Amino acid sequence: MKHLYESREDGRAGMGEPGWALSFFLGLIHVSLIFDGIIFLPNMIGKATGTPADQVAFVTFATLLVAAFGTFLQAFSPKNLGSGHVLFMGSYSAFLACTLMAVDMGGLPLLATMTLLSAPVVFLYSYFLRFLRHIVTPAVGGVLIILVALSLMPIAIELWQGGDSSQPHFGSSQNYLVGLVTMGVLVIFMLFGSHRLRLWTPLLGIGAGCLAASFLGLLTLEHVRHAPWFGLPEARWPGLALDFQMAWLPLAGAFFIAALVSAMEGTGNIMLLQQISVKGFRKVDYTCIQNGLYADGLAKGLSGLAGGAPVATFCDNIPLLKMTRVTSARVGLMGALILFVLAFMPKVSGFLLDAPSAVIGGMLVPICAMLFYAGFGLVMRSGLSFQMGLILGISLCAGLMAETRNFFPSIMPVDLSPILQNGVAMGGFVAIFFSTLLYLFPRPGMALHLTPAPAAMPTLLEGLEKLKGRFRMGDEVFLRLRLCCEETFSHLIEYAGESDRKCLFSVRLWEEGVFVEVIIGETVDEVDQGMRPFTGINATEAELDRIGLLILSRMAKDVQHIHISGYTYISFVIELS
């Protein structure tokens, strides 16, 4: 397991892996919170279409099995598959409109086919992620997380009121009190509870809410009473719709858009997980994001083959990891096991569905608050220029407009509703569009293809000399630029000097200064490792060997070292003032 149970946030040593019993308990808490979301699409198919109950039961069964397998992959993380974090998977609301449309047009076989066809979209997005490294940044990921919180808040408020206006106690004082008790217990223990007590905070909140609901007559066990203990769905596999028709092209486009939205949100989810789970977090690991998205794409394909609903990564429960401070992959493994068992135990899953809506709503409010905190943390960690700040502000406004679901409805095409009525999708696309535009805008500079060898150093220095006049740099700025480029290239020579591959040395004039990026198709020892200051007296031999990197870290700003798809990307900024 890669990610250990962290007992403290101050960077001191943790307590090792949690026991399997504690992991099972925490996995159950996670599943309890998101179970209705995991089977959201199958439930909506049953409520909004004329699909027979036994077929809906089969879709639910298949979706649960695939969600369990996808969650297992994310936690276990075999080679090049899975993020290695506690990342649950289940049906995804962005697919709601196209899912219902598919069932209406061709039944469950067409839904299975479209779900299967959407999987390559995620694979392609993940494979080409290295070309998006300047576009899908931690700041953009932070905006996606903030938009997720904004989209969850109306759901939390509706659940707090009772879940549905057709319910007899919707908007009643009983629901208000139940949600308030749940939220109050959670917030109090999160603020003032000890570390060990914080482990029990989710259970204490749910327990207090359910106790209040029982006292006020809101706790019913309808699903538990009517569901069998064990069972398999009576319906059979629906099959695939192989007679593709031209009339299905708009539907396929809607599925592709929804799949791209899920990949974008998955990127933000894994960025957030790294910030929470990785001790001493310093930067985003894009290889981890790629592997997590590969598992996402595989789960989508398997869901289509199995006859289930489209699945994607879940972020609703991620703040629980911050709340309990237990981020071990064991929790994800036990959560996957619980989902697998629930697929065969309708009575137990019925008990989770019987949890009062006000309790779930009361839990979601502090969870949304923690999502806001985590999203802003990602945004501010990378720093903001004026241009990027404006882009992110516009993206948030676009997401808020989409969440109103009333943006020129008589003009906007219905087929674009997966984007236009989804705050995460709309805000994410706006952020990526403007980030792409900003990146592609012509900037003065140079690009050199160099072999990482001492003989190529004069060529690099000659190119930098030519840029000095073009950029009108002062002597002090140019000396810092030259020294940082020399140290970076020397580092490449040391670790990739025997390679025949050339590296791309790019120097561009950006708003915040002179931006330098080096790309090489080799794995190079990291240049942005934290290094303590030292003197010649107390320095070790290893520290003296890395003195050039210490100089780089002091003279340059925003030094980054990224590995994606076997390529190494080193970048930094030299400020002009």
Side-chain angles (χ1 to χ4, degrees), residues 467-522:
L467 284 181
K468 180 182 178 182
R470 289 177 58 190
F471 291 177
R472 298 180 180 178
M473 284 184 284
D475 291 339
E476 190 268 339
V477 174
F478 175 73
L479 287 176
R480 284 193 284 122
L481 173 64
R482 172 173 172 155
L483 183 57
C484 290
C485 289
E486 280 182 307
E487 295 300 339
T488 303
F489 196 63
S490 298
H491 184 71
L492 291 183
I493 293 173
E494 179 181 357
Y495 286 94
E498 297 181 358
S499 173
D500 294 333
R501 295 188 179 184
K502 290 188 175 182
C503 66
L504 174 64
F505 220 102
S506 174
V507 184
R508 295 284 182 267
L509 186 61
W510 284 26
E511 179 192 22
E512 56 268 30
V514 181
F515 177 77
V516 179
E517 183 178 49
V518 185
I519 307 172
I520 186 170
E522 300 283 345

Side-chain angles (χ1 to χ4, degrees), residues 146 201 205 238-239 302 308 322 514 524:
I146 294 171
T201 297
L302 291 176
K322 184 74 171 178
V514 181
V524 179

Side-chain angles (χ1 to χ4, degrees), residues 214-532:
S214 178
F215 180 76
L216 295 172
L218 296 181
L219 181 61
T220 62
L221 300 175
E222 180 181 354
H223 291 90
V224 173
R225 286 196 299 266
H226 295 92
W229 277 105
F230 301 95
L232 291 170
E234 297 179 0
R236 295 182 178 181
W237 178 59
L240 298 172
L242 301 179
D243 54 333
F244 196 87
Q245 304 173 18
M246 294 299 295
W248 294 349
L249 281 178
L251 178 64
F255 268 87
F256 294 163
I257 291 172
L260 186 58
V261 169
S262 74
M264 289 163 46
E265 186 171 338
T267 301
N269 293 344
I270 300 173
M271 286 181 178
L272 175 58
L273 273 171
Q274 291 181 48
Q275 183 185 16
I276 293 174
S277 303
V278 178
K279 191 173 182 178
F281 174 77
R282 294 186 298 110
K283 63 178 181 178
V284 171
D285 182 355
Y286 281 87
T287 300
C288 174
I289 295 175
Q290 272 191 313
N291 294 342
L293 292 177
Y294 284 146
D296 182 309
L298 178 61
K300 279 184 173 63
L302 291 176
S303 187
L305 290 174
V311 297
T313 59
F314 260 77
C315 71
D316 304 20
N317 63 305
I318 292 178
L320 280 180
L321 299 171
K322 184 74 171 178
M323 187 187 305
T324 61
R325 303 186 188 182
V326 180
T327 61
S328 167
R330 284 187 179 183
V331 177
L333 294 175
M334 296 310 294
L337 176 63
I338 291 168
L339 287 176
F340 179 80
V341 172
L342 289 178
F344 299 93
M345 297 185 67
K347 187 174 287 292
V348 178
S349 59
F351 178 78
L352 298 177
L353 291 174
D354 281 330
S357 298
V359 174
I360 303 300
M363 285 198 69
L364 280 178
V365 172
I367 282 176
C368 288
M370 297 188 74
L371 283 174
F372 277 118
Y373 161 72
F376 279 114
L378 275 176
V379 170
M380 300 310 298
R381 179 178 290 273
S382 57
L384 286 179
S385 64
F386 170 78
Q387 292 173 321
M388 186 55 67
L390 180 61
I391 289 173
L392 298 183
I394 293 174
S395 304
L396 285 174
C397 291
L400 286 171
M401 284 192 296
E403 282 300 318
T404 65
R405 302 190 178 184
N406 196 29
F407 183 67
F408 295 99
S410 59
I411 298 176
M412 298 300 177
V414 177
D415 292 341
L416 295 180
S417 59
I419 296 179
L420 298 178
Q421 295 184 5
N422 186 303
V424 179
M426 190 68 174
F429 271 107
V430 169
I432 288 177
F433 172 77
F434 281 108
S435 296
T436 304
L437 198 64
L438 184 63
Y439 178 70
L440 295 179
F441 192 82
R443 299 175 184 273
M446 72 167 189
L448 297 175
H449 292 273
L450 304 171
T451 302
M457 184 70 80
T459 305
L460 172 63
L461 299 181
E462 182 181 346
L464 294 176
E465 287 284 353
K466 294 179 180 178
L467 284 181
K468 180 182 178 182
R470 289 177 58 190
F471 291 177
R472 298 180 180 178
M473 284 184 284
D475 291 339
E476 190 268 339
V477 174
F478 175 73
L479 287 176
R480 284 193 284 122
L481 173 64
R482 172 173 172 155
L483 183 57
C484 290
C485 289
E486 280 182 307
E487 295 300 339
T488 303
F489 196 63
S490 298
H491 184 71
L492 291 183
I493 293 173
E494 179 181 357
Y495 286 94
E498 297 181 358
S499 173
D500 294 333
R501 295 188 179 184
K502 290 188 175 182
C503 66
L504 174 64
F505 220 102
S506 174
V507 184
R508 295 284 182 267
L509 186 61
W510 284 26
E511 179 192 22
E512 56 268 30
V514 181
F515 177 77
V516 179
E517 183 178 49
V518 185
I519 307 172
I520 186 170
E522 300 283 345
T523 300
V524 179
D525 194 27
E526 295 194 358
V527 303
D528 59 347
Q529 298 180 25
M531 294 184 63
R532 63 181 180 86

Side-chain angles (χ1 to χ4, degrees), residues 122-142:
V122 181
F123 281 111
L124 289 173
Y125 171 90
S126 180
Y127 180 79
F128 291 106
L129 188 61
R130 66 189 181 94
F131 298 108
L132 304 174
R133 63 192 180 278
H134 294 299
I135 299 168
V136 185
T137 61
V140 172

Side-chain angles (χ1 to χ4, degrees), residues 30-31 33-41 63 67 71 74 86-93 145 148 152 262 265-266 268-270 272-273 296 310-319 321 339 364 371:
H30 282 273
V31 172
L33 180 64
I34 62 175
F35 184 76
D36 57 339
I38 291 175
I39 60 173
F40 169 73
L41 287 181
T63 303
T71 304
Q74 296 289 1
V86 183
L87 185 59
F88 281 80
M89 300 196 68
S91 60
Y92 183 51
S93 58
I145 296 301
V148 168
L152 277 179
S262 74
E265 186 171 338
N269 293 344
I270 300 173
L272 175 58
L273 273 171
D296 182 309
V311 297
T313 59
F314 260 77
C315 71
D316 304 20
N317 63 305
I318 292 178
L321 299 171
L339 287 176
L364 280 178
L371 283 174

